[in-house]
Amino acid sequence: MNDIDRLKAETEKIKRDLWSLSNKGTSGADLSQINSLLSSISSQLSSLSTRMTAAENKLAEPQKTVIFDMDSSDANLNMGFANGMLPDHSIERSDLASFKYFKFYLVSGDSESVLTVNLPNSDDPASFAVNHTFAQNIRGFLTVYLKFSDDLSSITFTDMVYVFYMGSSGTTASVMWYDSGLSTHGHIRKIEAFA
């Protein structure tokens, strides 16, 4: 049973106690017993309120830091990449290792995709290199390649490739290397990091 389920069960118990108390009436009732029950309910409500706040805090949106945004007028955020982050561009930050995960907002033509990547782990060397494929149109797919440095001080957009499936069955693939200098062929629009 998780915290939310426990809180719901305790709330139902408090409701039953209040219902029972309200149905006893005051004629012939033992006032000390009623006061004791009221005191117990009050303590339960106080504890419930504290625990609900703690559960809400666990569910709260993690703290977000924008580390790159091509649309920002702040030079610290757009880093001079007015057309977006393109292959061979890197972002260096000494605090990258302090984040748990990242969101990369990718664009190719009129298509967009959001890639969520956990912070790489030295126990899994493959986690430092990331690739992501998304559809640009009905038969075209773009794959972007990202690499975190071993010391987690930089992220590099290493490459991208466009694959187009041809033929009536759509089974024949033609690899079309895009000009990595053209943002319309693919770029990173924004990067967010979450603590």
Side-chain angles (χ1 to χ4, degrees):
M1 182 180 274
N2 64 33
D3 288 344
I4 301 296
D5 291 336
R6 277 192 285 277
L7 291 171
K8 285 179 182 177
E10 287 183 32
T11 302
E12 289 304 312
K13 181 187 179 309
I14 292 170
K15 285 180 186 176
R16 286 192 304 273
D17 288 346
L18 285 171
W19 181 84
S20 174
L21 183 61
S22 68
N23 284 328
K24 282 188 176 185
T26 56
S27 62
D30 181 352
L31 290 179
S32 64
Q33 186 181 17
I34 291 174
N35 284 335
S36 174
L37 187 54
L38 282 172
S39 176
S40 171
I41 290 171
S42 178
S43 294
Q44 289 175 25
L45 285 172
S46 177
S47 171
L48 186 63
S49 177
T50 301
R51 291 174 56 213
M52 284 179 77
T53 300
E56 285 173 345
N57 290 340
K58 282 183 183 178
L59 296 173
E61 178 80 18
Q63 185 179 355
K64 174 175 67 175
T65 302
V66 176
I67 60 175
F68 168 70
D69 186 351
M70 69 178 252
D71 297 321
S72 175
S73 58
D74 182 346
N76 292 321
L77 290 179
N78 68 32
M79 299 181 186
F81 303 145
N83 293 321
M85 192 174 169
L86 300 171
D88 295 326
H89 286 164
S90 293
I91 290 179
E92 293 188 21
R93 283 183 65 119
S94 60
D95 64 345
L96 286 179
S98 68
F99 298 107
K100 291 182 181 175
Y101 66 96
F102 303 85
K103 284 189 178 182
F104 296 85
Y105 294 81
L106 308 166
V107 178
S108 178
D110 293 331
S111 299
E112 291 196 27
S113 182
V114 179
L115 167 64
T116 301
V117 177
N118 290 327
L119 181 71
N121 181 332
S122 58
D123 293 336
D124 180 12
S127 67
F128 286 82
V130 178
N131 65 64
H132 177 67
T133 301
F134 65 100
Q136 187 189 43
N137 52 48
I138 194 166
R139 290 190 178 187
F141 296 86
L142 182 78
T143 302
V144 297
Y145 298 87
L146 307 169
K147 175 125 177 56
F148 286 81
S149 63
D150 292 340
D151 63 357
L152 294 173
S153 65
S154 69
I155 303 170
T156 302
F157 183 179
T158 57
D159 208 350
M160 66 181 171
V161 63
Y162 181 70
V163 177
F164 186 75
Y165 290 90
M166 304 178 305
S168 58
S169 64
T171 56
T172 306
S174 174
V175 176
M176 305 169 77
W177 292 93
Y178 265 8
D179 181 346
S180 61
L182 293 177
S183 62
T184 54
H185 289 175
H187 64 275
I188 297 172
R189 182 176 59 80
K190 188 177 193 179
I191 303 172
E192 296 171 336
F194 295 83

